[in-house]
Each structure stands twice: as structure tokens, then as C-alpha cells.
Amino acid sequence: MKIKFPLLFSFCLISSALLAQTKEKSWMLGPFVRPTNAQPVLQKDEASVFIDPITHTVAHWESMATFNPAALVKDDSIVVLYRAEEKLGEKEIGGHRSRIGMATSIDGFHFSKRPSPVYYPNEDAQKHNEWPGGTEDPRIVQTEDGLYVLTYTQWNRQVPKLAVATSKDLIHWEKHGPVFKDHRNGLYLDRETKSGAIVTELKNGKLVAAKIQGKYWMYYGVPHIWLASSTDLVHWEPIETHEDKLAPVLSPRPGYFDSWLVEAGPPPIITEKGIVVLYNAGNSQNVGVKDLGNRVYTGGQALFDANEPWKMLDRTDEPFIKPELPFEKSGQYVDGTTFLEGLVFYKGTWFLYYGTADSMVGVVTAKAE
């Protein structure tokens, strides 16, 4: 189950100004660096249109923002599934409409978009969960037999729900609905859930969904990170205490960069040291880090036991990535974000994709020795 792969990376020839991370602990992924003259790799396009199947009108489906990306490798290319927002008047965050678009790249930096979204609300059994807010914040994994498993947030503007869908080609999808709908007669069905990151391992140079003790595992949630298990990647059971309450496995810490909240990032990876979980961290200035400001999203890493995925072994004390460049600190989320959601291993390099200020997509890389 524990897969060995290079964790140490050389960056001696890269200007320190480009660093997104200093490697604090030996088990961490990275250090990651920004490209020279770093720019967003995906941005909004007010000219992109498609006919919405619910309103039957032309929708400018990525006119507000393109951000919070999932990523995978397919056919020798990097594929990014990104959250695209349609601008609806002057509504605040959460008041626009989201769909999921797809873009491909052969170098990880320059992308070609599909003209229409690949995943969106429709006249189907999930409409009541996904309309009018949409489908948000994807994460994606692939099984060894080639099935794609998408976790995402359904937003009906009442309760955000973590849901799952599957596909064989990334274009045609089967929606399975909220991940906990069958657990304890729907106990968690109307509770806020989001951000599902399924544990993976590197096999033959490719990340695939991993089993631990015969089950798949998923870190999920905000403001704490919880854990769930599944035998089929569709039906999930949250890990609970003996008192039948959710058991958080990672929580905010006063005095640190993650003092306000923690939220699951891209699919975690089993390494020779354990399960490396990259997570998003929000700062509360009065009890956290003064020079980060309030509500700033940075990135942390945590290490969990590869046989007991609820058991945390270590955790970073500093963010390994934070908003530093203008496009990471300007947008509809004015406090700034480097919101991690997509991680791939491609041609000997780790590519980490993240949302910037709820507006664009950025990337940092870590090259294998």
C-alpha cells in the first residue's frame, strides 16, 4: 500500500523570488516554485456561451470567474476541471451560478478550453440540489480500471452538499447525488458538507484511487476536516465517535496560519512516510498570524498514518504557499487565496493547481530529482 516515489526536489537554479514553499519537514511534497513571470493559467471569458438546459436561454457560463480547479492526467495531457461562474447581476460571492468547465494542456501551463461546460445543473434527479446555485469546487480521481470519480459541491442556495458523479470519458456523467444520502437514514443530508478529497497512490507513474484495509478513504469538510470511507467510491460513511458524532481529524489552531478554518485540498497521496494531505487554511488575525490578515487562504500539509488514516502524525507550522502575486490577492475574494484543489504527477513533475481570489487559476510545480 505504501508507494515510494521522489519527495525531494532541486531548486538551486531557480530564483528565490519564485519560491512558493520552503520545505519545512522531510515528508512534505515540494518545495513548489512559481513559473518565471507567473500568470494565471485560466481566466474568465465573457464570450463563452452555451444553451442552458433548464432556462433554455444563452448562458455566459464563465463570465464572472474561473477558479478552484481539479486536475488529472489523460492521454499524455493534463486535464483541468475548473469551476466557472456565470455573472448574475451584482450578486455577492455565492450568488452567481457555477458550472464545471474542462481545459487541456501538453505542458501544464498553456491550456485549451472546451467551448461548453462538461458538468452542470440539468433537468435531472439532482436539480433540487444544484439549482439555482450550480455545481462547484471539483476534485477528481481515477480508478485503476479507468473510471473517473468526481466529488463536488451542489449549491441550491440553501444547503451546500458534497456529492459524487462518475464518468468513463469526462464528458458523459452519471450523477449519484449527495455522498451521505444513505448513511443513517440521511442524517447528514441537510447538513453543510463540501470539499471531498479521495486518497490516491502513485502506480506506474499515475495517481489512482487507493484502498486501505479494503476501503477507499476521503478527507472532507470545513471548518474542520473529517474522514469518510467507502467500498465503491459512491456510497460513503463518515467516521464517527462512539457517541455517533463526527470525529474531526484536522482542526483549526489558534496561533497559527490555520487559526480560522481548515478545508480539504486536492486528493491526498500515500507515500513511504504516510498519507500526505494538502489542505486549505484560513487565518483569523486576532488569534492567528498577524501579518497574514483576516480570512486569507493559504496552504498547509499534514501527515497521516497510512494504515490508520484518522491518525495524524505531523503537521506544518507555516503555510507552504500563500497569496503573494497580484492575481492571487485581487479578485472577487479581496482577502486573497491560494486555494488548492488539483495535483498531478506529469512527466516527472508535480503540478499543483489552485484558485486565486475566487477569480482565476494558478499553478506551481515541483520537479523530481
Side-chain angles (χ1 to χ4, degrees):
M1 181 58 66
K2 298 179 181 179
I3 305 300
K4 293 185 178 182
F5 59 90
L7 288 179
L8 299 176
F9 301 89
S10 173
F11 61 103
C12 59
L13 299 180
I14 300 175
S15 168
S16 60
L18 301 178
L19 279 176
Q21 170 191 330
T22 54
K23 192 163 183 175
E24 180 184 330
K25 299 172 183 287
S26 63
W27 53 262
M28 293 172 63
L29 292 183
F32 289 91
V33 297
R34 292 181 171 88
T36 303
N37 300 319
Q39 298 293 326
V41 296
L42 289 171
Q43 300 188 57
K44 69 179 182 180
D45 185 351
E46 297 182 12
S48 295
V49 296
F50 93 121
I51 303 300
D52 183 83
I54 294 177
T55 64
H56 304 291
T57 59
V58 173
H60 293 261
W61 63 281
E62 54 179 358
S63 55
M64 182 68 193
T66 55
F67 59 114
N68 292 6
L72 71 154
V73 175
K74 182 178 185 291
D75 299 332
D76 295 322
S77 297
I78 292 179
V79 178
V80 167
L81 300 179
Y82 59 94
R83 175 179 170 183
E85 275 192 335
E86 176 189 5
K87 186 175 183 180
L88 300 179
E90 300 300 324
K91 294 180 181 292
E92 300 294 331
I93 288 176
H96 300 285
R97 182 167 297 135
S98 294
R99 302 173 180 90
I100 296 174
M102 186 168 80
T104 58
S105 172
I106 58 173
D107 66 3
F109 302 101
H110 303 90
F111 283 85
S112 297
K113 292 180 180 178
R114 286 182 62 89
S116 299
V118 295
Y119 198 87
Y120 45 84
N122 208 333
E123 292 287 359
D124 54 35
Q126 296 305 313
K127 178 181 176 182
H128 67 288
N129 289 322
E130 298 176 353
W131 190 262
T135 53
E136 303 180 348
D137 298 354
R139 278 87 167 165
I140 194 164
V141 299
Q142 187 175 13
T143 64
E144 288 191 68
D145 60 3
L147 183 70
Y148 299 104
V149 182
L150 178 77
T151 57
Y152 68 102
T153 301
Q154 299 177 314
W155 178 227
N156 60 7
R157 299 211 188 125
Q158 297 177 19
V159 179
K161 296 178 181 179
L162 177 60
V164 64
T166 54
S167 174
K168 294 182 179 179
D169 61 5
L170 299 177
I171 305 299
H172 305 91
W173 293 90
E174 181 179 357
K175 295 183 179 182
H176 300 283
V179 297
F180 300 133
K181 65 180 183 298
D182 298 323
H183 180 68
R184 294 175 62 187
N185 296 316
L187 175 65
Y188 300 109
L189 191 57
D190 292 321
R191 299 188 191 183
E192 178 176 328
T193 53
K194 61 189 308 187
S195 304
I198 297 170
V199 176
T200 63
E201 59 186 333
L202 196 65
K203 281 193 173 182
N204 300 317
K206 190 173 186 178
L207 289 172
V208 295
K211 280 188 174 181
I212 300 172
Q213 299 181 9
K215 295 181 179 180
Y216 299 102
W217 297 84
M218 175 176 65
Y219 294 86
Y220 74 96
V222 66
H224 302 270
I225 293 177
W226 292 276
L227 184 66
S229 66
S230 173
T231 59
D232 62 4
L233 292 167
V234 171
H235 304 88
W236 292 86
E237 295 184 1
I239 301 303
E240 298 169 316
T241 69
H242 69 285
E243 299 173 311
D244 291 332
K245 296 180 180 179
L246 292 178
V249 297
L250 192 72
S251 294
R253 296 175 295 178
Y256 292 86
F257 66 98
D258 47 15
S259 55
W260 175 36
L261 58 81
V262 293
E263 184 169 353
I269 302 172
I270 299 175
T271 75
E272 59 183 349
K273 299 293 186 180
I275 305 170
V276 178
V277 176
L278 277 62
Y279 67 93
N280 297 296
N283 185 56
S284 182
Q285 191 176 39
N286 60 320
V287 295
V289 178
K290 297 296 183 185
D291 60 5
L292 277 180
N294 284 316
R295 292 166 29 102
V296 172
Y297 277 81
T298 63
Q301 298 191 35
L303 183 69
F304 287 82
D305 189 284
N307 295 308
E308 298 178 306
W310 52 87
K311 182 180 180 180
M312 186 172 64
L313 303 176
D314 201 1
R315 185 175 183 177
T316 55
D317 294 329
E318 304 289 339
F320 78 94
I321 184 171
K322 61 184 178 181
E324 295 179 289
L325 301 180
F327 71 91
E328 297 169 343
K329 297 188 291 184
S330 61
Q332 64 171 326
Y333 192 90
V334 296
D335 302 289
T337 74
T338 47
F339 195 85
L340 318 173
E341 285 196 28
L343 178 67
V344 297
F345 190 69
Y346 181 66
K347 297 182 178 180
T349 298
W350 291 103
F351 286 77
L352 176 60
Y353 294 93
Y354 58 96
T356 70
D358 280 11
S359 298
M360 292 169 277
V361 173
V363 65
V364 289
T365 61
K367 202 164 186 64
E369 287 186 328

